[in-house]
Amino acid sequence: MCGIVAILSDGEPVDAGSVERATRALHHRGPDARHCWIDEEARIGLGHARLSIIDLSTGDQPLANEDATIHAVVNGELYDFERIRRELEDKGHRFATRSDSEILLHLYEDLGLGCMEHLRGEFAFVLWDSRRRILVAGRDRFGIKPLFYAQRGGKLLFASEAKALFAAGVPARWDHESFFDANSLVVPRQDRTLFASVRQVPPGHLLVASGSRVEIQRYWDFDYPLADAVDERSDAECAELLRDALDEAVRLRLRADVPVGCYLSGGIDSCAVLGLASRHRIKPIRTFTLRFDRAEYDEGPIAREMADKVGAEFQPIALAQADLAEHFADAIWHGETLCLNAHGVAKFVLSRAVREAGYKVVLTGEGSDEILGGYPPFRRDMLLYDSAGQEPQVVARLLAELDSANPLSHGLLLPDGNSLPAGRVKTALGFVPSWMEAYGSTGRKMHALFSDQYLRLMAGRDSFGGLIDHIDVAGQLAGRSPVHQSLYLWAKTQLVNYVLTMLGDRMEMAHSVEGRVPFLDHHVVELVRSLPVRQKIRGTVEKYVLREAARPVLTETVYARHKHPFTSPPVALAPDGKLHELLQETLRGQALESLPFYDRGKVVGLLDRLPAMSVAERTAIDPALMMLLSACTIQQRFRPSA
């Protein structure tokens, strides 16, 4: 796990100082070594900040093939690399290191861009082929590892984080359209960011640059089965298939030359990962669990019970509002995006505790909800749109039960009030996914805080409709079940742009910790996508097949427990807390006024209304408050121009 940089010039020579500054800006991603390489023509420069996990002694980068005609920098892990290496060596390839990353060079030598189907893991890379004079930049199938790029002054620049591009001379400027979309809680285009000059290589895609030409190519997608496809596999068979696939994914991710721990909550995802991992380890695995200071958000007792079941070491990390306030700005600086809840800050603190305990690698449960329909809105979609044959009164009862059982999800994952218009989505799909309704209800709250000038500038902009315009509706959504359509759209937006950022890579790598995600092993995902919806959701029971697959390694408490989204206690529930104090000072001060988007009077009016709100209302307004605070923090830390 590392930070990578590349600069390709179509004109004047690449400045070695720019490569070095950008690489140095990623020191937190790779504190163990830092190296740069510039080719003889000074046309291409590569930088690498290394976090050494596999091959501690010879795995430094940039890497080169046998005749130095191909160079590359790689961020992430490529699993099952030893088998692939042996096959390549049998074909005559010679390796200079014992690292997993080097297989990329030799696979590319043999297969060109076709090498992507052989890469398994969490990765991003930039490769320079001097023979063909092309640059290839690739990102894993789900966007677990970040890869940003910018074009400036005849140069094409790449980096693991936007801040490294800024260090190389790319200006930080707000993208007004993207900011509007972010406040609508959906990003229509996978390549956009909050910064006008910065783009992302989309998940499952390659960027190929030759001369001044830049082309984006898709190499993988979900390809859900058609809704009328017949699947006669039994519940037991499906559970066994998932258990075997997930077990292999966990086993591969335990491969490291440093200790490997586990994040552990009270949810089935991390508990399943821990349970399977414990079967492959003789010594107890160290687990790390966040403990919040409000009982309804604290999963510590359930996590401890799970750790005891498998003989794991249990390390709780207590968090109070003061801790969230202290680390809020740093977490947002690392995340480079808006947050919906302080849970990202909590993950930031968690990764710090992991590193202080001497660990560089943890297994996590992220991705399970995205492929198995774990969040409440997917269950709502099942009841509303995939309930053929059920009595209407039964569906109504189950919807009411779902709503009452998830009070912490209102305003975040379940609708709270009126939503933004989504007519184009309904026209294209025949329905509006419940998560869009939920996010649209928060988006409407955010739009009510915009200045009149900004609203006029964005008049007519339809973020949800824009998403449909940039999605392969005919190839990936048409004819699929509504739940699978909803899962697909979530994966293309919220998974990559939020979950894997504010709850994944960026919060972990802030403290040089590598998070590994077995549920997003593409072999696991390709199995799960083939399963019918009934294996994912049964009535109001989410992740049905996972519960059955993992039952032998779970406590009964976890097996029977419904999904509780990982959230930090809302800021307005602790009006005397430090985070609330930070919120008030920031939004009533100069930081908000320096943003070119919001109306200060409207925001202050919202703050003045908080004390009179009920607990439910203060819970539902939390995403809006956190978005305001994180926007101000980005303005303070990056100082983007308008």
Side-chain angles (χ1 to χ4, degrees):
M1 195 65 59
C2 311
I4 60 175
V5 168
I7 301 179
L8 175 67
S9 177
D10 194 35
E12 62 184 50
V14 170
D15 174 40
S18 296
V19 178
E20 169 62 26
R21 286 191 300 274
T23 307
R24 193 185 312 124
L26 299 175
H27 176 77
H28 54 281
R29 298 187 68 91
D32 297 331
R34 187 168 69 244
H35 297 283
C36 299
W37 169 82
I38 309 288
D39 78 325
E40 292 181 355
E41 300 177 6
R43 186 182 180 194
I44 177 77
L46 302 175
H48 190 265
R50 187 185 184 204
L51 178 64
S52 53
I53 290 173
I54 289 178
D55 184 14
L56 305 185
S57 57
T58 69
D60 287 347
Q61 301 187 34
L63 299 163
N65 66 336
E66 298 94 331
D67 60 4
T69 56
I70 301 173
H71 290 77
V73 284
V74 184
N75 168 33
E77 298 292 344
L78 302 176
Y79 301 114
D80 201 20
F81 73 95
E82 286 125 331
R83 176 188 60 80
I84 296 174
R85 176 181 175 132
R86 289 192 298 269
E87 294 175 356
L88 289 166
E89 287 175 329
D90 289 343
K91 294 179 180 179
H93 289 276
R94 301 188 309 276
F95 284 72
T97 76
R98 295 186 298 277
S99 78
D100 57 306
S101 298
E102 196 177 354
I103 64 170
L104 170 67
L105 296 167
H106 304 289
L107 284 171
Y108 175 82
E109 281 186 287
D110 283 0
L111 303 171
L113 302 184
C115 70
M116 300 304 296
E117 67 180 85
H118 297 274
L119 299 182
R120 180 178 190 175
E122 304 108 2
F123 59 84
F125 68 83
V126 179
L127 178 149
W128 170 246
D129 181 344
S130 62
R131 293 170 300 185
R132 300 173 60 196
R133 301 185 75 78
I134 66 170
L135 178 146
V136 180
R139 194 174 179 196
D140 66 65
R141 294 162 179 82
F142 311 103
I144 305 166
K145 295 295 111 190
L147 186 57
F148 297 91
Y149 69 97
Q151 294 177 283
R152 176 173 170 80
K155 293 184 175 63
L156 185 60
L157 304 92
F158 297 85
S160 296
E161 297 180 13
K163 59 181 65 66
L165 296 177
F166 301 151
V170 175
R173 296 184 292 112
W174 284 112
D175 185 320
H176 286 238
E177 292 183 344
S178 290
F179 192 86
F180 182 89
D181 295 334
N183 279 261
S184 305
L185 282 81
V186 65
V187 179
R189 288 179 47 175
Q190 293 183 69
D191 65 337
R192 297 287 285 267
T193 74
L194 290 177
F195 304 107
S197 49
V198 178
R199 294 288 183 265
Q200 300 183 66
V201 176
H205 283 72
L206 293 169
L207 181 152
V208 181
S210 177
S212 59
R213 182 180 179 184
V214 175
E215 182 181 358
I216 303 290
Q217 302 178 12
R218 184 176 68 182
Y219 70 87
W220 187 91
D221 214 332
F222 282 86
D223 296 320
Y224 279 106
L226 296 176
D228 57 4
V230 177
D231 191 320
E232 297 181 349
R233 289 175 290 189
S234 67
D235 289 353
E237 183 180 0
C238 291
E240 183 179 2
L241 288 170
L242 178 56
R243 185 185 308 116
D244 291 344
L246 185 59
D247 185 68
E248 180 187 53
V250 169
R251 177 182 58 80
L252 289 173
R253 283 161 178 77
L254 289 170
R255 169 70 174 91
D257 296 332
V258 296
V260 179
C262 282
Y263 284 158
L264 181 63
S265 69
I268 190 174
D269 311 325
S270 62
C271 290
V273 169
L274 172 63
L276 294 172
S278 296
R279 292 182 165 188
H280 296 285
R281 281 288 186 264
I282 297 175
K283 294 182 178 180
I285 295 177
R286 176 80 67 89
T287 66
F288 301 87
T289 299
L290 284 168
R291 300 291 310 270
F292 290 114
D293 55 2
R294 288 183 69 96
E296 64 269 40
Y297 294 87
D298 181 22
E299 299 182 319
I302 301 172
R304 182 186 290 275
E305 181 187 12
M306 180 65 205
D308 290 343
K309 175 180 173 65
V310 298
E313 297 179 17
F314 180 73
Q315 181 172 332
I317 295 95
L319 265 183
Q321 291 282 302
D323 301 304
L324 299 174
E326 179 183 354
H327 297 288
F328 189 91
D330 286 339
I332 297 302
W333 183 79
H334 281 282
E336 301 176 342
T337 193
L338 306 183
C339 74
L340 302 175
N341 177 264
H343 52 191
V345 188
K347 275 291 190 76
F348 176 88
V349 177
L350 177 63
S351 69
R352 184 187 65 168
V354 168
R355 189 58 191 230
E356 289 175 348
Y359 282 75
K360 290 183 176 181
V361 180
V362 289
L363 304 188
T364 84
E366 264 71 48
S368 173
D369 292 306
E370 281 70 21
I371 63 173
L372 286 157
Y375 295 124
F378 301 130
R379 281 174 274 162
R380 186 173 183 265
D381 288 337
M382 181 71 170
L383 292 169
L384 287 173
Y385 313 119
D386 260 336
S387 59
Q390 290 196 49
E391 294 293 330
Q393 59 268 31
V394 174
V395 172
R397 175 176 57 79
L398 292 175
L399 283 169
E401 290 177 4
L402 176 66
D403 189 71
S404 63
N406 291 274
L408 307 185
S409 293
H410 288 184
L412 184 61
L413 290 171
L414 289 174
D416 177 71
N418 294 328
S419 185
L420 294 173
R424 287 166 62 193
V425 175
K426 188 168 185 178
T427 298
L429 306 183
F431 74 106
V432 178
S434 294
W435 71 263
M436 284 193 180
E437 287 189 52
Y439 277 12
S441 65
T442 294
R444 182 176 285 276
K445 296 183 179 80
M446 299 306 299
H447 287 201
L449 301 173
F450 286 147
S451 69
D452 293 342
Q453 180 181 359
Y454 185 55
L455 285 171
R456 285 193 296 270
L457 181 65
M458 294 293 115
R461 185 166 183 82
D462 178 1
S463 301
F464 290 156
L467 172 61
I468 292 299
D469 292 341
H470 292 94
I471 289 290
D472 181 9
V473 174
Q476 293 295 322
L477 298 181
R480 275 71 175 187
S481 74
V483 169
H484 283 162
Q485 293 182 55
S486 186
L487 287 169
Y488 182 89
L489 291 170
W490 176 278
K492 293 298 180 179
T493 54
Q494 311 311 321
L495 173 64
V496 58
N497 291 320
Y498 192 80
V499 175
L500 295 175
T501 299
M502 285 304 297
L503 299 176
D505 172 87
R506 309 300 279 281
M507 298 302 101
E508 292 150 0
M509 291 304 289
H511 297 288
S512 310
V513 172
E514 174 179 289
R516 297 180 174 181
V517 281
F519 282 104
L520 293 182
D521 182 288
H522 75 276
H523 291 262
V524 173
V525 174
E526 288 171 359
L527 168 65
V528 172
R529 78 180 176 193
S530 74
L531 300 177
V533 172
R534 68 176 184 275
Q535 289 294 335
K536 297 156 192 175
I537 304 173
R538 292 270 175 101
T540 58
V541 177
E542 82 285 352
K543 294 183 283 197
Y544 172 81
V545 67
L546 176 61
R547 290 179 189 277
E548 301 310 312
R551 187 168 192 175
V553 300
L554 300 175
T555 64
E556 281 301 310
T557 302
V558 172
Y559 171 78
R561 187 172 185 248
H562 282 294
K563 170 69 182 180
H564 287 254
F566 170 67
T567 54
S568 169
V571 60
L573 295 186
D576 297 326
K578 291 291 185 181
L579 185 59
H580 192 272
E581 180 180 321
L582 174 66
L583 176 82
Q584 293 284 345
E585 290 179 354
T586 303
L587 299 190
R588 294 180 186 273
Q590 182 59 38
L592 182 76
E593 290 189 0
S594 63
L595 278 171
F597 308 112
Y598 301 115
D599 183 301
R600 183 179 184 277
K602 296 176 182 178
V603 173
V604 170
L606 171 61
L607 297 176
D608 289 343
R609 293 193 298 274
L610 289 178
M613 290 184 181
S614 66
V615 170
E617 289 170 328
R618 282 181 279 165
T619 299
I621 201 65
D622 189 63
L625 297 175
M626 289 296 96
M627 291 174 72
L628 288 166
L629 183 57
S630 52
C632 289
T633 302
I634 291 174
Q635 181 67 41
Q636 291 173 316
R637 295 297 293 265
F638 290 98
R639 301 194 179 281
S641 61

